[in-house]
Amino acid sequence: MSEGVRKLEKLDESRFIIRKSGAMRVDGIVYMDEGLLNDLGGDECIRQVENVASLPGIVGASMAMPDIHWGYGFPIGGVAAFDADEGVISPGGVGYDINCGVRLLRSALNTEDVKNRLPDIVDGLFRNVPSGVGSRRKDLRLSHGELKAVLQKGAGWAVAQGFGTASDLEHIEDEGCIDKADPEAVSDRAYARGKDQLGTVGSGNHFVEVGYIDEIFDEAAAQAFGLFTHQITIMIHSGSRGLGYQVCDESIRDMLRAAEKYHINLVDRQLCCAPLTSPEGRRYFSAMAAAANYAFANRQMITHWVRQTFGEILGAGETSLGLSLVYDVCHNIAKMEEHSLRGTDSTLCVHRKGATRAFPPDSRLVPERYRKVGQPVLVPGDMGRASYVLAGTRRAMEETFGSTCHGAGRIMSRNQALRNARGRSISREMEERGVYVRAASKGTLGEEMPEAYKDVSKVVRLVHQAGISKLVARIIPLGSIKG
């Protein structure tokens, strides 16, 4: 047994604890069972849970979801909340792809409606939604002023330009716009990288995927979410592209200086941070929020191209297609939220890095249509198995600051996956599974092959068992475009 695993003490069937020691200010809590322990892939991510627990102003516990794997500073799958007055904000707790997130579209279509047109639909999506490293839209180049409006207004900017409806905004986390975004906090270099990437998927594990609902676990929640068996769905996974990466990269340099200025002892330089109340902390939050708004607008634009593609291929109008938004969730974000802490209502800065908000029934931040069942939680898997829809719970609010898992979680590095894919045709293997895939490069398919990831079914069943979100429906992939 490795040193990191030895530190894990079992609390119950869904959780392990790392007792506070050394520089840790709070305990570490890892949502895990014995089966998923085998997929940890080393001690690095456990050490990162400990390291996060050493940061000033952290409250509750340093937490990790069952899709945990190693990341920059914070583990991917990490959740940590900080006191608004005494705590810090850290770019490592958000990640390079600020507001990488997922949205789900439901449709009025069933599997019979698309079974003979699936390759045409996927090929059409591949034409209309640019993907891959450096992908750009040649027909949508924004001026500096227009991009500034995107950073300020988020998805609302896209809807105002005719790319969607007011109903879309009602079904996006924070209605697609985070307050306190300051476009002036974003550098010219970041503007240059973002000016013609709006409406593009990007690279890595980002995708647009056509699937269908094959199983319903909670009829009441599924009905509230507008989901039914054999229904065609579209899942969109993308983020803030080069603009968000640039904001993070520049902020890390600023935060290293800030940590030294405010005498913050870092057990890992990748945890560089600044007090939330400091000029550096406020500036990062404002730039991060602006990048997050770009990501909301990006997914909104992709949604427009998806609707357009389905209309073109199937020769149908918007009403008969019924492509409406279920929800859109952030994965990589830090937010100022109200939570109960030791019986007292407190304002906290909640970092979710590779983790999803999971707010409960009756929360005023959940769209009214879903308020009886809780916030939709969207958890994509790998391109060959399944994705899941869950719902937020009261227990999540009590235990995890309203947070749950965000995906399957990698068990292979991208380089290792490429080595394992050598000599294979991943696209042919996917077609044999009944999934038609188009990708910007063969390398992407190798990096994203199903065995590079944990089995997402085990991950979602763990969070369901733990009570921090509840299973609603399973989605089986039919076709996908990959970055």
Side-chain angles (χ1 to χ4, degrees):
M1 184 184 296
S2 67
E3 180 184 352
V5 173
R6 278 200 303 271
K7 292 182 178 180
L8 293 172
E9 177 186 331
K10 188 173 180 179
L11 278 179
D12 53 37
E13 294 305 310
S14 307
R15 297 179 302 162
F16 287 80
I17 187 170
I18 308 167
R19 299 289 180 185
K20 182 173 68 171
S21 64
M24 295 172 69
R25 300 169 189 262
V26 295
D27 294 332
I29 299 290
V30 181
Y31 283 81
M32 188 74 62
D33 60 19
E34 282 85 353
L36 286 166
L37 274 177
N38 297 325
D39 293 330
L40 272 179
D43 290 344
E44 292 90 348
C45 54
I46 298 299
R47 189 176 303 113
Q48 289 185 320
V49 174
E50 293 181 75
N51 291 344
V52 171
S54 73
L55 288 173
I58 189 169
V59 298
S62 169
M63 290 175 280
M65 297 296 116
D67 47 339
I68 181 177
H69 52 293
W70 179 86
Y72 185 94
F74 281 55
I76 297 169
V79 176
F82 297 85
D83 181 85
D85 296 319
E86 299 179 2
V88 297
I89 188 167
S90 173
V94 174
Y96 275 89
D97 192 0
I98 296 167
N99 189 9
C100 172
V102 170
R103 65 169 47 192
L104 180 69
L105 302 176
R106 57 182 166 248
S107 77
L109 306 170
N110 61 41
T111 50
E112 288 296 311
D113 295 323
V114 305
K115 68 177 183 179
N116 297 322
R117 304 303 305 274
L118 188 65
D120 295 332
I121 291 171
V122 175
D123 289 345
L125 292 171
F126 193 69
R127 285 194 306 273
N128 292 336
V129 186
S131 60
V133 177
S135 53
R136 284 165 165 73
R137 288 205 67 88
K138 296 178 181 177
D139 57 345
L140 188 71
R141 296 178 64 88
L142 304 181
S143 68
H144 186 88
E146 288 170 323
L147 186 50
K148 185 176 180 179
V150 171
L151 301 184
Q152 190 77 58
K153 299 176 181 178
W157 175 89
V159 170
Q161 303 304 310
F163 299 104
T165 67
S167 177
D168 289 339
L169 299 180
E170 293 169 10
H171 298 96
I172 304 174
E173 191 170 320
D174 294 316
E175 297 185 345
C177 183
I178 296 179
D179 292 338
K180 297 184 180 177
D182 182 4
E184 300 300 329
V186 176
S187 72
D188 290 342
R189 174 61 178 150
Y191 271 92
R193 295 189 66 179
K195 71 179 189 301
D196 54 359
Q197 289 189 332
L198 206 61
T200 68
V201 174
S203 60
N205 62 346
H206 295 155
F207 61 79
V208 177
E209 185 168 278
V210 181
Y212 72 96
I213 305 284
D214 89 313
E215 186 171 0
I216 299 290
F217 304 102
D218 186 315
E219 289 287 350
Q223 186 173 1
F225 296 166
L227 304 177
F228 56 86
T229 307
H230 303 303
Q231 178 185 31
I232 293 298
T233 62
I234 299 91
M235 188 172 276
I236 297 166
H237 180 202
S238 190
S240 50
R241 303 289 280 110
L243 183 142
Y245 186 101
Q246 191 68 27
V247 167
C248 179
D249 194 52
E250 293 169 356
S251 298
I252 285 170
R253 295 194 292 271
D254 293 341
M255 290 297 194
L256 282 167
R257 291 189 291 269
E260 184 175 354
K261 173 182 174 181
Y262 296 106
H263 308 292
I264 298 171
N265 182 35
L266 299 175
V267 297
D268 177 357
R269 283 172 57 84
Q270 292 185 358
L271 291 176
C272 57
C273 56
L276 281 157
T277 56
S278 69
E280 295 88 347
R282 289 194 296 267
R283 180 177 177 83
Y284 170 70
F285 188 94
S286 297
M288 177 209 67
N293 288 344
Y294 181 98
F296 281 134
N298 187 36
R299 292 195 289 274
Q300 185 64 40
M301 299 297 288
I302 293 172
T303 298
H304 172 75
W305 311 130
V306 167
R307 287 168 170 158
Q308 188 180 70
T309 300
F310 269 77
E312 289 173 355
I313 301 301
L314 298 181
E318 287 187 16
T319 301
S320 59
L321 291 173
L323 287 170
S324 56
L325 184 58
V326 177
Y327 204 57
D328 178 305
V329 295
C330 308
H331 288 166
N332 296 352
I333 203 73
K335 287 187 175 178
M336 304 305 298
E337 297 176 351
E338 299 299 319
H339 290 275
S340 178
L341 188 65
R342 295 184 290 274
T344 302
D345 291 342
S346 303
T347 301
L348 305 175
C349 182
V350 182
H351 292 60
R352 297 186 182 95
K353 180 183 181 180
T356 303
R357 199 179 76 172
F359 279 13
D362 301 324
S363 169
R364 63 179 179 80
L365 296 178
V366 173
E368 187 173 354
R369 172 175 177 166
Y370 307 144
R371 211 161 281 174
K372 289 184 178 179
V373 297
Q375 175 210 306
V377 174
L378 312 174
V379 182
D382 60 75
M383 60 185 172
R385 282 180 275 199
S387 297
Y388 286 84
V389 182
L390 298 91
T393 64
R394 292 183 179 88
R395 187 164 181 178
M397 289 300 282
E398 295 165 1
E399 289 189 3
T400 64
F401 303 105
S403 308
T404 190
C405 64
H406 89 303
R410 293 192 75 93
I411 55 176
M412 290 184 195
S413 69
R414 287 184 165 81
N415 286 336
Q416 184 183 356
L418 286 172
R419 288 193 297 270
N420 285 19
R422 197 168 294 148
R424 297 163 54 182
S425 172
I426 303 300
S427 60
R428 185 170 63 246
E429 292 177 18
M430 296 306 302
E431 284 198 54
E432 290 170 357
R433 294 186 183 212
V435 184
Y436 182 72
V437 179
R438 292 290 306 273
S441 71
K442 287 184 178 180
T444 293
L445 290 181
E447 292 173 356
E448 296 301 309
M449 63 182 180
E451 56 262 47
Y453 288 88
K454 300 174 188 178
D455 183 347
V456 71
S457 299
K458 296 178 181 178
V459 171
V460 296
R461 291 189 186 281
L462 189 285
V463 296
H464 178 83
Q465 176 181 292
I468 58 173
S469 45
K470 64 177 183 178
L471 284 163
V472 175
R474 180 171 64 189
I475 301 173
I476 300 300
L478 291 170
S480 183
I481 68 168
K482 302 289 291 187

